[in-house]
Amino acid sequence: MADNQGVVVEAHEIETFRKNAFRSLSCDILKLRLTLRATEPPQKMFASLEEYQKLYKESITEPNKFWGRTARELLTWTRDFETVSAGSLAEGDVKWFVEGQLNACYNAVDRHAYKDPNRVAIIYEADEVDEGRNVTYSELLRDVSKVAWVLKQAGIKKGDTVAIYMPMIPEAVVAILACVRIGAVHSVVFAGFSADALRDRVIDAKSRFVITSDEGKRGGKFIGTKKIVDDALKQCPDVSNVLVYRRTGADINMVPGRDLWWHEEVEKWPSYIAPEPMNSEDPLFLLYTSGSTGKPKGVMHTTAGYLLGAALTGKYVFDIHDGDRYFCGGDVGWITGHTYVVYSPLLLGVATVVFEGTPAYPNFSRYWDIIEKHNITQFYVAPTALRLLKRAGDEHVRGNFKYLRTLGSVGEPIAAEVWKWYYEIVGKESAHVVDTYWQTETGSNVITPLAGVTPMKPGSASLPFFGIEPSIIDPVSGEELHGNNVEGVLAFKQAWPSIARTVYGSHKRYLDTYLHVYKGYYFTGDGAARDHEGFYWIRGRVDDVVNVSGHRLSTAEIEAALIEHHAVAEAAVVGVSDELTGQAVNAFVAIKDGNEATDALRKELVLQVRKSIGPFAAPKAVYIIGDLPKTRSGKIMRRILRKVLAGEEDQLGDVSTLSDPSVVDKIIATVHASK
Ligand code: 6R9
């Protein structure tokens, strides 16, 4: 009964939505572009860069006009807004679409479910090949509603925070959307974090409810998710309930009165619950990210602005169209998974792949098999995965990718030779590579090519997205460097809708980290160059900059030089203090199978950097190691390398985010052996 009532009410709403929300975008480049339907054969789509420039100009000179229009076009509102933007970067009180009301889940699910109930929302690709399934938009609406009921009945109210500690399964998406359906704030913690890390995040966010699974399964291995939650919660007395999804059927401990089985609870509740209308600036989620120092920051995003950033970048950067099948390999535990596994594709009503496994299981063809099997139209992954797959060999890249139009890269600079491999071997020179630069704090892509539009330059994130006004600042003088051919640190001059609004519990930290470093600007923490054509090249975090005899060197640049050498699989460069030159470059390299760690190779590598950048950049020491210390999201933890080199192995700090903590001991041994 409750079902039907809900549907009737919503069917009424959907009429308004049909009339307003899906009006085709007027005056935009999508219209001019050769839009591809998924059912048509792929074509090259290089449309007009001038159209981008025209729209970009509008987004900078008349931001309220641009964002007001796109917000009404792409999102469905239960109450319209009058004020498009308010506040300023200088004051740290940015607001968007002030009087508006909307619900994120309604926008991501309901409106598509009513229009086309059987449309696929989630393509679940399980760890084991062929164990997956599809979830339609109407099934998603039902599943989300039931879990939303469970939360509500457990006393979770609008504004409460819910921790989600789940593997990459459709239920992780269901959990996220169930929260936002009732106005709760989700705080997803990557399901590879340790119990201590989870505990800290649950406590900091004041989460009262945790959603998890009995176990996870990745690359053929089982992960004791619920056990980790149990350990974490020993020191979290404020958590009243844990909802447990049965993924593997493992025998786990259920705490009476606290723990609830997902499958038992959802049986009790109707398949519809009305979405809670939320104010534009109500918090949508917290996501913890590490800064260069101290404890992780709970970056807070609010509702309308974040959703608009996710939808608009999906449409323009990835060229998402009705009927597409979008595959982002990121985990929902990171911002890439939030924005591009969940929100962006679902807001645009297309199918999103939820991939539980790894690119190496059961073999190195897994990604490519998924792309072929599901006729994937957009694929999005981090360079670290591409390096792994490139290293594995081209013979693994098999299949017919006839629908593939956009290849995305995210998370770190992509070296030109990896970019080339992606474009030629994966994309068969017919898909557009988009090297998307952005951060947890920016919410969605900020410097990026637009698929089908922006000319590609291997290794450059290219041009700013709408509303982003990049500035290159001289870090010494703090002055903005105007014109082309400049290099410095990257900041943004005006606020955009999906900028993070605060660090949970510490607005001062937010101001100090991002807005007060260069007053009036948002400071990214990255170094960047603007080349002779106005294209941007991200150099990496400025905390990774090395200064040798007054030469400011980017670790990323030296690393790119090193991996040009045929024997090198991956490289990490750090600065160590040096009596003579201030800092010296030390390089750690992982070599490809079949190569030996010899002195001759070390010499060749030094020569390679001298040749590629200049003698001043030559590493003073090259350490050849089995594997680099990487976080589970693939970022190299250079901090650990720096500490080992400084002889401060006892002060490594938090290594809980490392994907394989055992690499640390091997690195220490290698460094000691060479001293
Ligand atoms: C989305 C994400 C943010 C940091 C960022 C920068 C690096 C991200 C990049 C890139 C070069 C790209 N980064 N994308 N560097 N080119 N296309 O990764 O968010 O985890 O918060 O990391 O990642 O250094 O500052 P997050």
Side-chain angles (χ1 to χ4, degrees):
M1 277 310 286
D3 264 342
N4 292 339
Q5 280 169 18
V7 172
V8 171
V9 173
E10 295 299 308
H12 168 72
E13 276 186 82
I14 209 74
E15 270 314 296
T16 327
F17 153 65
R18 276 209 185 109
K19 284 193 200 113
N20 299 324
F22 266 2
R23 272 189 320 231
S24 63
L25 300 181
S26 57
C27 169
D28 72 15
I29 50 181
L30 285 180
K31 271 197 159 172
L32 297 170
R33 208 185 283 171
L34 293 170
T35 55
L36 288 179
R37 301 301 306 238
T39 46
E40 291 168 356
Q43 302 166 40
K44 276 208 165 190
M45 315 176 289
F46 298 105
S48 152
L49 189 64
E50 290 75 49
E51 280 301 319
Y52 154 75
Q53 280 156 345
K54 194 171 123 199
L55 269 185
Y56 174 72
K57 190 165 168 224
E58 185 198 26
S59 76
I60 298 299
T61 56
E62 297 174 279
N64 288 348
K65 187 172 160 212
F66 177 88
W67 291 114
R69 184 180 72 242
T70 49
R72 291 188 178 101
E73 282 169 351
L74 287 168
L75 302 175
T76 304
W77 301 80
T78 46
R79 190 171 76 200
D80 196 12
F81 51 87
E82 285 160 33
T83 315
V84 176
S85 65
S88 69
L89 288 178
E91 297 302 321
D93 59 351
V94 166
K95 290 185 181 62
W96 286 88
F97 316 114
V98 181
E99 305 80 5
Q101 280 194 337
L102 76 176
N103 181 278
C105 182
Y106 180 87
N107 274 274
V109 185
D110 302 40
R111 56 181 188 166
H112 314 304
Y114 288 108
K115 199 172 167 219
D116 190 0
N118 295 325
R119 188 187 294 184
V120 174
I122 295 175
I123 299 170
Y124 168 42
E125 182 69 29
D127 192 43
E128 297 300 335
V129 180
D130 295 332
E131 280 187 5
R133 65 192 147 88
N134 288 349
V135 181
T136 66
Y137 273 95
S138 61
E139 289 166 343
L140 186 58
L141 177 57
R142 177 200 62 202
D143 295 351
V144 166
S145 289
K146 282 174 168 283
V147 175
W149 272 115
V150 176
L151 292 171
K152 214 177 167 118
Q153 295 302 319
I156 299 301
K157 296 185 299 296
K158 196 173 184 167
D160 287 347
T161 308
V162 172
I164 298 175
Y165 188 77
M166 290 194 101
M168 280 296 286
I169 54 178
E171 289 69 24
V173 180
V174 170
I176 285 172
L177 294 170
C179 290
V180 302
R181 192 164 186 86
I182 62 165
V185 179
H186 55 82
S187 171
V188 182
V189 179
F190 176 62
F193 272 120
S194 65
D196 287 358
L198 173 61
R199 174 201 60 205
D200 294 346
R201 287 157 177 78
V202 166
I203 292 172
D204 189 79
K206 304 188 184 72
S207 297
R208 296 178 38 218
F209 195 105
V210 179
I211 307 181
T212 190
S213 62
D214 53 355
E215 285 187 317
K217 191 157 178 286
R218 231 177 144 249
K221 297 195 186 86
F222 293 90
I223 299 140
T225 324
K226 172 64 163 58
K227 179 153 189 341
I228 296 167
V229 170
D230 287 343
D231 287 348
L233 295 192
K234 280 179 192 150
Q235 291 163 53
C236 303
D238 295 338
V239 172
S240 47
N241 290 109
V242 179
L243 184 65
V244 187
Y245 178 76
R246 180 174 272 164
R247 165 63 186 89
T248 65
D251 189 15
I252 54 158
N253 176 42
M254 293 291 278
V255 177
R258 187 195 72 178
D259 297 353
L260 310 164
W261 278 113
W262 175 300
H263 59 274
E264 288 175 4
E265 291 305 308
V266 296
E267 283 302 306
K268 299 178 186 165
W269 308 109
S271 29
Y272 183 81
I273 189 169
E276 185 76 33
M278 301 298 287
N279 293 325
S280 292
E281 285 297 333
D282 280 338
L284 185 68
F285 66 85
L286 299 181
L287 182 58
Y288 283 82
T289 184
S290 33
S292 38
T293 54
K295 63 176 191 137
K297 298 180 279 231
V299 170
M300 184 199 279
H301 281 284
T302 56
T303 306
Y306 172 83
L307 295 177
L308 182 57
L312 201 72
T313 50
K315 210 148 181 70
Y316 284 100
V317 175
F318 292 94
D319 189 34
I320 293 178
H321 289 273
D322 256 9
D324 279 353
R325 289 156 308 271
Y326 183 91
F327 176 16
C328 167
D331 191 286
V332 287
W334 310 111
I335 191 67
T336 302
H338 279 64
T339 309
Y340 296 103
V341 174
V342 183
Y343 286 107
S344 183
L346 295 182
L347 286 168
L348 295 173
V350 300
T352 184
V353 174
V354 172
F355 177 40
E356 188 177 25
T358 77
Y361 181 79
N363 54 54
F364 288 112
S365 297
R366 189 66 194 270
Y367 276 162
W368 322 127
D369 290 348
I370 294 173
I371 292 175
E372 182 177 47
K373 176 170 155 197
H374 300 294
N375 292 330
I376 294 302
T377 44
Q378 289 89 1
F379 176 57
Y380 193 26
V381 78
T384 180
L386 297 174
R387 289 194 296 266
L388 174 86
L389 296 168
K390 179 173 180 291
R391 180 183 183 178
D394 297 357
E395 67 276 14
H396 297 284
V397 190
R398 62 182 183 204
N400 185 347
F401 310 156
K402 60 177 182 286
Y403 297 96
L404 195 58
R405 307 195 306 267
T406 311
L407 289 174
S409 171
V410 58
E412 42 178 331
I414 178 167
E417 64 153 37
V418 177
W419 190 104
K420 261 186 77 201
W421 180 83
Y422 202 22
Y423 180 64
E424 288 167 6
I425 306 298
V426 180
K428 321 282 190 254
E429 299 188 26
S430 67
H432 201 122
V433 174
V434 291
D435 174 3
T436 64
Y437 167 78
W438 60 297
Q439 310 174 299
T440 303
E441 298 86 343
T442 68
S444 46
N445 307 152
V446 285
I447 296 188
T448 175
L450 307 186
V453 173
T454 315
M456 294 180 280
K457 285 195 193 186
S460 165
S462 81
L463 300 172
F465 190 67
F466 302 123
I468 301 294
E469 201 178 3
S471 301
I472 302 286
I473 294 179
D474 179 336
V476 179
S477 67
E479 296 297 319
E480 188 177 340
L481 300 169
H482 296 280
N484 287 343
N485 274 324
V486 286
E487 179 144 5
V489 294
L490 179 65
F492 302 137
K493 230 187 280 190
Q494 48 175 271
W496 61 99
S498 68
I499 185 177
R501 301 296 193 264
T502 192
V503 168
Y504 184 69
S506 179
H507 196 61
K508 182 172 183 307
R509 194 166 172 203
Y510 170 80
L511 296 173
D512 290 348
T513 313
Y514 308 109
L515 304 182
H516 287 170
V517 184
Y518 303 104
K519 193 86 181 173
Y521 295 85
Y522 166 85
F523 174 54
T524 63
D526 283 299
R530 184 163 54 224
D531 73 10
H532 63 289
E533 292 175 317
F535 277 50
Y536 290 85
W537 299 75
I538 309 300
R539 300 291 193 217
R541 305 290 307 187
V542 285
D543 29 25
D544 290 332
V545 159
V546 190
N547 191 325
V548 182
S549 305
H551 297 290
R552 196 177 292 273
L553 301 173
S554 152
T555 52
E557 208 180 342
I558 304 171
E559 288 160 10
L562 286 165
I563 75 161
E564 278 171 31
H565 190 284
H566 62 84
V568 176
E570 286 195 293
V573 164
V574 294
V576 291
S577 63
D578 187 278
E579 267 179 24
L580 214 59
T581 55
Q583 276 190 306
V585 171
N586 276 204
F588 289 81
V589 296
I591 51 176
K592 291 180 191 160
D593 294 344
N595 291 284
E596 297 281 347
T598 59
D599 278 345
L601 177 59
R602 284 189 198 92
K603 278 194 190 122
E604 272 183 45
L605 294 174
V606 172
L607 215 66
Q608 173 80 37
V609 178
R610 290 175 74 98
K611 198 168 90 222
S612 217
I613 304 170
F616 59 89
K620 196 169 176 190
V622 176
Y623 300 102
I624 297 177
I625 54 179
D627 216 342
L628 297 174
K630 276 184 284 187
T631 64
R632 297 188 183 91
S633 69
K635 289 195 169 51
I636 297 167
M637 282 181 89
R638 294 179 181 76
R639 174 171 60 84
I640 289 179
L641 301 173
R642 274 193 289 266
K643 290 278 180 198
V644 172
L645 288 171
E648 295 169 358
E649 293 103 298
D650 53 336
Q651 299 164 40
L652 292 181
D654 180 22
V655 293
S656 65
T657 56
L658 277 179
S659 67
D660 176 12
S662 75
V663 303
V664 176
D665 285 339
K666 293 179 197 146
I667 291 165
I668 294 172
T670 309
V671 170
H672 282 191
S674 69
K675 284 215 163 133

